[in-house]
Amino acid sequence: MNSFISTKSKITGSNYKEVFKKATIIFDSIVRKSKRKPYIRSAYFLKQKIFINLFWVHLFDKSFLIRTLRLKYLTAGFELVEKSRIPPSSRDNPNNENEILHRFEGITRDKFQFYVQIKEIKRTGKKYLMSMFGKDE
């Protein structure tokens, strides 16, 4: 599988509070661009909207350690979704037959491998950013 090479590096910080503060600033800059549901446009999906509001819901189901590790990839993950034209590995969701899971692979500027997972609803075609995580996670 080919990897998208990001120009962004991981968010720096040694604890959840530091990383969350920086990630919130980045996330809020995207939220301010839209009056309704926040989204980013994907190059691979021909500039379709990828809604990012479910990312936070999914993230807060995790422990502080997992949240910290996942938030560190926020900038590189957003860049991957916006600019990557490399095909993801796609498969039907084993828990819900009405969804497709797309997993994009990327490498940060500081050489960490990570994945971004997008959920697509088959009936409507809407896409939601679900998660981004490192290879070692």
Side-chain angles (χ1 to χ4, degrees):
M1 183 176 194
N2 293 333
S3 297
F4 174 78
I5 299 171
S6 176
T7 60
K8 309 284 185 185
S9 58
K10 287 172 48 172
I11 294 175
T12 58
S14 59
N15 61 25
Y16 175 72
K17 188 175 179 180
E18 292 174 7
V19 175
F20 183 74
K21 186 176 180 180
K22 293 175 184 176
T24 305
I25 292 168
I26 295 162
F27 192 81
D28 287 344
S29 68
I30 293 173
V31 170
R32 273 188 250 115
K33 294 178 184 177
S34 171
K35 292 183 180 181
R36 295 184 181 94
K37 284 185 179 179
Y39 65 89
I40 52 180
R41 293 202 179 262
S42 170
Y44 177 77
F45 293 113
L46 304 176
K47 297 296 180 183
Q48 288 182 345
K49 294 178 183 178
I50 308 295
F51 296 104
I52 57 176
N53 54 343
L54 282 182
F55 172 72
W56 287 106
V57 175
H58 180 73
L59 185 70
F60 282 101
D61 290 341
K62 309 296 180 196
S63 68
F64 283 106
L65 177 64
I66 300 295
R67 280 188 225 170
T68 306
L69 294 173
R70 292 187 178 192
L71 281 174
K72 287 186 174 206
Y73 292 102
L74 191 72
T75 54
F78 282 167
E79 183 187 22
L80 182 144
V81 172
E82 288 176 345
K83 296 182 179 178
S84 176
R85 293 189 180 275
I86 299 171
S89 63
S90 301
R91 62 182 175 93
D92 289 338
N93 187 348
N95 301 323
N96 188 347
E97 62 186 32
N98 298 322
E99 297 174 350
I100 301 172
L101 298 176
H102 304 282
R103 185 174 285 183
F104 292 86
E105 186 177 323
I107 299 173
T108 63
R109 184 174 68 188
D110 40 1
K111 305 294 184 227
F112 289 99
Q113 190 172 8
F114 69 100
Y115 300 97
V116 175
Q117 190 158 304
I118 295 176
K119 171 176 78 171
E120 179 181 357
I121 310 297
K122 287 181 182 179
R123 188 173 56 84
T124 61
K126 287 188 177 180
K127 295 167 186 67
Y128 298 92
L129 176 70
M130 291 304 295
S131 184
M132 50 189 75
F133 50 91
K135 181 179 181 181
D136 299 331
E137 206 175 308

